[in-house]
Amino acid sequence: MRTQIGIVGAGPAGLMLSHLLHLAGIHSIVIENRSRAYCEARVRAGLMEHWVSELLVETGVGDRMKRESMVHDGTYLAFNGTAHHIDFSKLVGKHVVIYDQKEVVTDLIARRLADGGEIHFEVEDTSIHDFNSDRPRIRFRSNGQQQEIACDFIAGCDGFHGIARPSVPATAISGFDRVYPFGWLGILAQSPPPEKELIYAYHPRGFALYSMRGPTLPRLYIQCAPDEDIENWPDSRIWEELHTRLAAVGAQELTEGPVLQKGITGMRSFMIEPMQYKRLFLAGDAAHIVPPTGAKGLNLAAVDVRVLARALGEFYGRGSRDLLDRYSAICLRHAWKVQRFSWWMTSMLHLFPGDSAFDRRRQLAELDYLTGSRAAQQSLAENYVGLDVSLNM
Ligand SMILES: Cc1cc2nc3c(=O)[nH]c(=O)nc-3n(C[C@H](O)[C@H](O)[C@H](O)COP(=O)(O)OP(=O)(O)OC[C@H]3O[C@@H](n4cnc5c(N)ncnc54)[C@H](O)[C@@H]3O)c2cc1C
């Protein structure tokens, strides 16, 4: 097999990259180790920055999203028993869009296949080779047969646990890591929402988040110990904790419903520098992880592939390597700002083991300042709906 861009991973990053490249007249092949059904059912992110939803519409994959998504003009911050509304539309004239990541993936797969795109699902033993030469290759097994893709460039879009990042020589890459001393116990339930927008709650028993994947599909989280055993959390105990932590004046009471899914997610911040090595480019979770408090993972993946697609467009269209050579610097500049925002939201809203009464009062003072200051709210809103990406370095 031969292509211009070999893409490892059919998550949002790999699929969106393949779609954008196709629109720019550049051929790509995507390989994915899971089945199509698995990729289309994987419950993960649900919140898109304003510009990401516009990108989906502008590039012809936003029709179903326009019909089925929910537009959120703001969010709630709850503490000391009161919910405060932060109005993004009034503060910065933008909104965010609630549309399940699995639906984005479903729409992108359908569009790629309709456009004649090549996606190989359920591949095994993926490995990447010779990306320090001008003839990179991807090897894998498919239906028991050994296969090889010869390409001009490789895009490692295979997530945090993929093979692309570990294939870069250790001396050529630096990692920056922060593991938080707590996790999120999350449930997907079927019940009517108490509010039409998200509620972030700071509570003496720990953080809680009310979010949703659809009008009657709340996704609810409570802060828990990182090594918490889910077996200790029957549904009744989870609901009780959610009622306690999310109870706030100014927000409707939570209605319980059947729990469709539950699990515990660890919280970490992770970055690598640089995000490119010779003819290998890393994008999305393969290059960075943010704690989910800022709802940024999917959005960061979209930034990376938009920059990469444009850089490859300039390479093939005008023969210019300029943007391609600056890919890592451009993405990292943006990703570090997003990393800062996600860390800040996480630090402000969670209880840290060992924190003193001083720390708790400081957190409350920060929330009080934030909800009382238009300038502070504007800063939150600007980051939450998505910062502009500068291509100038
Ligand atoms: C519980 C949870 C909630 C989240 N909530 C939000 C949110 O609200 N907003 C937000 O923006 N982000 C959120 N995120 C983060 C977001 O889901 C990720 O950042 C996003 O999936 C990154 O996309 P990606 O394509 O880079 O990686 P992935 O989605 O991980 O895709 C990588 C793909 O590569 C495949 N792969 C891996 N190894 C190989 C291999 N060796 N060969 C072939 N294929 C391989 C994987 O199967 C996968 O399909 C959340 C994440 C979690 C876990």
Side-chain angles (χ1 to χ4, degrees):
M1 281 182 258
R2 160 90 209 151
T3 186
Q4 287 171 296
I5 316 298
I7 301 176
V8 186
L15 291 166
M16 191 67 199
L17 177 63
S18 182
H19 176 58
L20 294 176
L21 291 174
H22 169 72
L23 296 180
I26 300 168
H27 192 263
S28 66
I29 297 177
V30 181
I31 61 158
E32 164 62 49
N33 61 1
R34 300 288 192 163
S35 69
R36 178 178 178 181
Y38 183 93
C39 293
E40 292 182 345
R42 190 164 34 196
V43 175
R44 280 191 159 184
L47 188 146
M48 268 185 280
E49 292 176 355
H50 189 117
W51 73 272
V52 179
S53 65
E54 286 186 339
L55 181 70
L56 294 183
V57 174
E58 281 160 19
T59 61
V61 279
D63 284 353
R64 196 161 71 93
M65 180 201 71
K66 274 199 288 186
R67 286 195 310 274
E68 298 179 12
S69 66
M70 292 180 288
V71 170
H72 282 190
D73 287 317
T75 194
Y76 288 91
L77 285 180
F79 61 98
N80 278 347
T82 304
H84 304 258
H85 192 238
I86 312 281
D87 192 324
F88 304 147
S89 296
K90 279 200 189 129
L91 291 160
V92 291
K94 291 183 183 171
H95 56 248
V96 292
V97 169
I98 303 296
Y99 189 56
D100 205 313
Q101 176 172 320
K102 68 186 172 61
E103 307 304 339
V104 180
V105 165
T106 301
D107 295 348
L108 282 167
I109 291 174
R111 182 59 197 260
R112 282 309 296 126
L113 296 179
D115 285 341
E118 229 179 292
I119 309 173
H120 298 264
F121 290 101
E122 296 183 76
V123 307
E124 293 172 297
D125 297 336
T126 311
S127 56
I128 56 176
H129 306 270
D130 301 336
F131 43 90
N132 55 356
S133 77
D134 56 4
R135 285 163 195 226
R137 284 167 303 127
I138 302 175
R139 290 200 191 121
F140 57 97
R141 268 191 307 117
S142 179
N143 297 320
Q145 301 283 316
Q146 191 63 40
Q147 303 279 1
E148 185 174 287
I149 302 173
C151 46
D152 298 337
F153 298 97
I154 296 174
C157 301
D158 50 352
F160 185 65
H161 301 287
I163 53 93
R165 189 181 64 250
S167 304
V168 178
T171 49
I173 207 164
S174 303
F176 304 87
D177 206 3
R178 166 154 302 179
V179 178
Y180 296 87
F182 40 76
W184 278 12
L185 192 162
I187 60 167
L188 186 68
Q190 200 153 35
S191 65
E195 289 296 337
K196 89 173 201 21
E197 291 169 348
L198 272 60
I199 306 168
Y200 286 85
Y202 176 89
H203 193 273
R205 293 183 62 81
F207 170 74
L209 173 63
Y210 172 84
S211 68
M212 65 281 282
R213 294 293 183 266
T216 56
L217 216 53
R219 183 97 171 117
L220 299 136
Y221 296 100
I222 45 176
Q223 176 182 350
C224 64
D227 54 356
E228 191 75 63
D229 184 353
I230 194 80
E231 294 303 319
N232 295 332
W233 286 85
D235 296 356
S236 57
R237 185 177 171 207
I238 298 174
W239 283 114
E240 196 182 311
E241 202 62 33
L242 283 165
H243 280 299
T244 306
R245 297 190 196 183
L246 286 168
V249 180
Q252 306 291 319
E253 183 147 351
L254 198 61
T255 312
E256 295 183 20
V259 173
L260 308 176
Q261 205 187 67
K262 64 179 168 183
I264 292 176
T265 311
M267 303 273 285
R268 77 186 309 158
S269 301
F270 176 74
M271 298 279 283
I272 51 138
E273 292 184 3
M275 287 169 56
Q276 67 196 86
Y277 177 76
K278 313 283 181 172
R279 286 189 168 230
L280 169 66
F281 294 84
L282 301 171
D285 279 14
H288 36 61
I289 294 287
V290 283
T293 328
K296 291 295 180 201
L298 171 66
N299 299 297
L300 264 185
V303 169
D304 295 347
V305 298
R306 194 174 63 148
V307 175
L308 186 54
R310 183 153 162 195
L312 289 166
E314 291 200 0
F315 176 79
Y316 287 108
R318 298 198 288 114
S320 167
R321 269 203 78 119
D322 173 57
L323 200 51
L324 213 44
D325 289 341
R326 292 187 294 120
Y327 165 76
S328 175
I330 290 167
C331 292
L332 282 172
R333 185 180 181 193
H334 182 80
W336 272 114
K337 287 184 215 167
V338 173
Q339 197 64 264
R340 180 209 70 83
F341 176 70
S342 303
W343 163 85
W344 172 71
M345 288 279 283
T346 305
S347 310
M348 177 172 66
L349 290 163
H350 290 76
L351 303 186
F352 284 69
D355 266 5
S356 64
F358 175 90
D359 296 308
R360 305 273 158 90
R361 279 168 175 71
R362 182 187 47 74
Q363 283 176 314
L364 284 168
E366 181 147 21
L367 285 160
D368 190 16
Y369 165 64
L370 179 57
T371 50
S373 157
R374 184 181 168 89
Q377 285 178 39
Q378 215 159 11
S379 169
L380 184 151
E382 181 182 46
N383 282 275
Y384 202 90
V385 301
L387 294 173
D388 291 338
V389 180
S390 168
L391 295 184
N392 302 318
M393 291 298 300

